[in-house]
Amino acid sequence: MKDVKPISKFLSLVLRHKPEKIGLTMDMNGWVSVDELLERMRKTGKAISRDTLNYVVENNDKKRFAFSEDGKQIRASQGHSIEVDLQYTPVQPLEYLYHGTVNKYMQSIRETGLQKMNRTHVHLSKDRETAITVGNRRGSAIILTINAGQMFKDGHEFYLSANGVWLCNGVPPQYINF
């Protein structure tokens, strides 16, 4: 199969941030019709087959996308900058979770903690290795250890996305081991 990275990036754009770019309307839970997605992609010069879409969803290294149980709808698993209700239920997190960042954000994180910024949640990893990979995308990774167990005990909610990313609304600085 041809290089599917550009397709995955385009799907991330329209399923996480800008569905209107190709005239898509997603429901309140982030779902769009697979048939409509493929048709809109075709009309905007980004045509792919259903087989290619299946391949991208099944083989994406971060499992960014998911099909509905009947296979007729698709959505991003997390990472939205537009308001959607992914219908995740709160779950107790691991005692420690990790976040990869870079030096230029450290002063702000020390002062205000981890903020969701233009996303709907802060993303945390279950292991240091994943956090390193995430942090390295923007430079030399700095790994923060989050005392998620204590946050949970103190009333903060955590969600586990379909692709294993831990989500929360923010991490106050007192729960971060710098």
Side-chain angles (χ1 to χ4, degrees):
M1 177 143 310
K2 66 180 182 173
D3 179 23
V4 296
K5 191 171 186 176
I7 297 168
S8 179
K9 285 184 174 275
F10 185 76
L11 290 173
S12 287
L13 174 68
V14 298
L15 297 177
R16 294 165 81 181
H17 309 294
K18 295 183 178 183
E20 71 278 2
K21 184 167 180 71
I22 60 171
L24 278 178
T25 302
M26 58 179 57
D27 73 13
M28 63 189 262
N29 304 122
W31 295 108
V32 299
S33 161
V34 169
D35 291 340
E36 184 180 354
L37 171 67
L38 294 173
E39 177 62 16
R40 300 288 179 157
M41 288 179 72
R42 184 189 65 74
K43 285 183 175 178
T44 57
K46 305 265 189 198
I48 62 170
S49 68
R50 174 66 193 243
D51 286 343
T52 299
L53 181 63
N54 290 346
Y55 181 85
V56 170
V57 171
E58 291 168 17
N59 294 287
N60 183 275
D61 61 337
K62 296 181 180 172
K63 301 294 181 202
R64 285 190 170 104
F65 316 106
F67 288 117
S68 59
E69 286 186 27
D70 64 7
K72 293 181 180 180
Q73 296 184 302
I74 186 172
R75 73 176 179 186
S77 297
Q78 94 284 320
H80 298 81
S81 60
I82 54 179
E83 195 61 40
V84 294
D85 178 4
L86 297 174
Q87 298 178 299
Y88 291 139
T89 55
V91 293
Q92 183 170 352
L94 303 170
E95 192 64 28
Y96 295 99
L97 295 172
Y98 304 91
H99 183 81
T101 190
V102 291
N103 192 51
K104 72 178 182 178
Y105 300 120
M106 288 302 294
Q107 183 61 37
S108 174
I109 293 170
R110 287 181 190 281
E111 292 171 7
T112 63
L114 293 171
Q115 306 292 315
K116 55 188 176 179
M117 308 305 281
N118 66 341
R119 299 280 178 98
T120 56
H121 294 99
V122 170
H123 296 190
L124 303 172
S125 305
K126 68 177 181 174
D127 56 60
R128 291 180 56 80
E129 294 75 24
T130 303
I132 290 168
T133 301
V134 171
N136 279 338
R137 291 186 313 200
R138 292 188 176 87
S140 183
I142 295 173
I143 306 307
L144 304 174
T145 302
I146 311 304
N147 191 339
Q150 188 60 52
M151 277 183 68
F152 181 77
K153 289 174 192 163
D154 291 346
H156 295 266
E157 290 185 341
F158 287 83
Y159 310 93
L160 184 58
S161 73
N163 61 347
V165 175
W166 285 92
L167 308 171
C168 65
N169 288 323
V171 181
Q174 65 266 30
Y175 298 104
I176 302 172
N177 297 323
F178 290 95

